[in-house]
Amino acid sequence: MDRIKLVCPCLLGVEGLVADELRAMEAQNVEPQNGRVLFEGDASLLARANLGSRYSERVLVQMGSFSARTFEELFQGVKGLPWERWIGEKDIFPVKGRSLSSKLSSVPDCQSIIKKAIVERLKQKYHVSWFEETGTLYQVQFLILKDQVNVMIDTSGPGLHKRGYRANSTEAPIKETLAAAMAHLSRVRADGNVVDPFCGSGTILIESALYALNIAPGLRRSFAAENWDQIDPKVWQGEKERAQDLVRRDAQFQGFGYDIDGAAVSLALANAKKAGVIGNIRAEKRDIRDFQTMTDRGYVICNPPYGERLLDVQQAEEIYKVMGQVFERKPRWSYSIISPDETFEECFGRKADRRRKLYNGMIKCQLYLYFK
């Protein structure tokens, strides 16, 4: 297969991390933009990015980009793209998308016109008058931003944050892709000890373990493009074997999780088992007030409960004060804490050594990094 133009949408704030990991996968022409990264590669890279991207939300084939302020311009722009390269005459191709700050603001109308344009293109190519749509799924996506249209086909299926280990979660989970980014920004090592004193369903611990052991996050799930005729099944098999070969089987990583909710602790251990990292993770019921560093080196990475999420603001600020008391300055220990609360440093009792703006879903947060 020839080179394919691809795009990885991602959470705001992690575009640089996505770009770096794609370059490490040997992607070509990598171009980070707001909330997404453009790149190029072959079918093997398409599979590799799906299996191995820790921070992306999905992998899309970039069909084309053009400006459109009228429905006619939208229709002609979409009709001019080579849909027959991917979609066969029996395949299913639903359309969904978003329109932001654009003249063409009605999403249902845009969906209808894009669908019609694809149908008209394929009618001409396949010389048929209608499409039964009983075959393989090719989910078409569009984004219209400031009158610029991007049209894509999703290769992932469920979002890449759905690794397959978290069927159940506690009340306010952190997204897996964000937890992975926190592990990276905390510089977790293969022999590191990570502690999450608010472990909930275990996402930060599990993503830290996957990162430290270099386990591809997509190894335990399937992807939409595995069913596509254009990609030889041997490509997927080869990439899965490549990912298995890259696992650090001798890594000495240990994760320690604590939570005041015993059910959350049980869930964290169950999820760690599903993720294949139960041998590297321990968890028990414990209050933040009882926190203490048990080893001579380690990383605390956590997503404490906060006002918008689980507690009232006063309760959340009380927890931050306790954290400031028990997270003592200690050589070879670092603390990475994500919070949307602008008063966090004040409550915690000291300024962060570094701050990084990140988004937990739609909630704007800061990652407060303490390492001195």
Side-chain angles (χ1 to χ4, degrees):
M1 180 178 279
D2 298 335
R3 185 175 286 190
I4 312 162
K5 289 189 175 180
L6 298 159
V7 56
C8 281
C10 57
L11 293 169
L12 290 167
V14 302
E15 298 91 346
L17 304 189
V18 173
D20 287 345
E21 71 174 353
L22 289 171
R23 289 188 191 103
M25 292 179 196
E26 301 176 1
Q28 304 297 309
N29 299 326
V30 178
E31 183 189 338
Q33 299 180 348
N34 269 350
R36 64 182 201 157
V37 179
L38 305 178
F39 62 108
E40 294 178 7
D42 59 8
S44 292
L45 189 77
L46 183 155
R48 191 177 302 169
N50 270 299
L51 286 160
S53 181
R54 295 184 193 283
Y55 322 114
S56 304
E57 295 304 308
R58 53 184 66 246
V59 180
L60 309 170
V61 173
Q62 175 82 346
M63 291 300 295
S65 181
F66 55 89
S67 62
R69 291 182 175 79
T70 67
F71 288 131
E72 180 61 21
E73 287 175 340
L74 178 63
F75 179 87
Q76 294 300 339
V78 172
K79 190 182 173 192
L81 300 173
W83 296 100
E84 65 280 358
R85 183 185 179 190
W86 299 99
I87 301 171
E89 61 182 284
K90 292 187 177 178
D91 292 333
I92 308 164
F93 50 103
V95 177
K96 65 180 180 183
R98 296 182 298 151
S99 178
L100 304 166
S101 308
S102 298
K103 287 266 197 308
L104 301 176
S105 58
S106 168
V107 169
D109 286 341
C110 292
Q111 279 177 291
S112 175
I113 283 156
I114 290 169
K115 179 78 174 187
K116 187 179 175 186
I118 299 170
V119 167
E120 289 304 312
R121 168 86 182 200
L122 295 179
K123 272 183 182 178
Q124 291 174 4
K125 296 294 176 180
Y126 295 130
H127 308 292
V128 294
S129 58
W130 70 284
F131 294 89
E132 59 185 66
E133 295 198 52
T134 57
T136 303
L137 174 65
Y138 291 80
Q139 175 66 63
V140 177
Q141 293 201 8
F142 67 88
L143 171 64
I144 308 176
L145 177 62
K146 296 179 181 174
D147 302 320
Q148 188 70 18
V149 181
N150 284 283
V151 198
M152 300 143 291
I153 302 175
D154 176 33
T155 76
S156 300
L160 294 185
H161 68 280
K162 295 188 176 176
R163 321 291 208 202
Y165 64 76
R166 199 173 79 178
N168 300 304
S169 62
T170 47
E171 193 175 343
I174 193 167
K175 214 168 189 184
E176 293 89 334
T177 43
L178 179 57
M182 289 167 66
H184 175 87
L185 294 168
S186 303
R187 300 183 178 179
V188 170
R189 295 170 17 158
D191 61 350
N193 298 306
V194 167
V195 184
D196 181 358
F198 306 97
C199 72
S201 54
T203 307
I204 288 173
L205 293 172
I206 293 166
E207 290 299 327
S208 295
L210 295 175
Y211 177 84
L213 275 60
N214 203 36
I215 298 172
L219 270 175
R220 289 177 173 246
R221 55 160 287 177
S222 59
F223 304 93
E226 286 185 74
N227 299 312
W228 292 6
D229 290 341
Q230 296 86 350
I231 303 176
D232 190 324
K234 289 177 184 171
V235 168
W236 287 98
Q237 188 56 39
E239 287 303 322
K240 287 174 185 176
E241 287 170 5
R242 177 183 180 276
Q244 291 281 12
D245 290 344
L246 292 171
V247 174
R248 296 189 193 108
R249 301 182 195 283
D250 58 347
Q252 299 298 305
F253 173 87
Q254 287 292 316
F256 302 89
Y258 307 112
D259 204 287
I260 55 166
D261 180 356
V265 169
S266 299
L267 190 52
L269 291 169
N271 288 343
K273 188 174 182 181
K274 278 186 211 154
V277 293
I278 189 65
N280 302 83
I281 287 174
R282 300 177 207 167
E284 63 183 62
K285 186 175 176 180
R286 188 183 294 183
D287 191 285
I288 183 62
R289 288 169 180 80
D290 300 321
F291 174 85
Q292 52 187 307
T293 54
M294 310 283 284
T295 55
D296 65 347
R297 177 199 293 270
Y299 315 82
V300 173
I301 308 175
C302 63
N303 174 34
Y306 49 80
E308 292 174 42
R309 208 169 57 124
L310 294 177
L311 309 174
D312 66 40
V313 173
Q314 195 175 349
Q315 281 178 298
E317 291 181 349
E318 202 54 47
I319 285 176
Y320 299 155
K321 283 175 189 165
V322 173
M323 288 164 64
Q325 291 158 13
V326 297
F327 291 179
E328 56 183 318
R329 293 177 197 261
K330 195 171 179 182
R332 302 201 295 180
W333 273 84
S334 65
Y335 303 93
S336 303
I337 306 150
I338 194 165
S339 174
D341 194 330
E342 307 247 324
T343 67
F344 172 80
E345 288 167 304
E346 191 182 318
C347 298
F348 188 75
R350 62 185 192 266
K351 289 274 187 193
D353 299 309
R354 267 186 64 213
R355 289 168 55 156
R356 174 96 179 218
K357 193 184 350 178
L358 295 170
Y359 281 77
N360 188 4
M362 297 304 294
I363 302 171
K364 180 179 159 188
C365 298
Q366 293 282 349
L367 180 63
Y368 298 94
L369 298 158
Y370 295 87
F371 47 80
K372 291 179 183 172

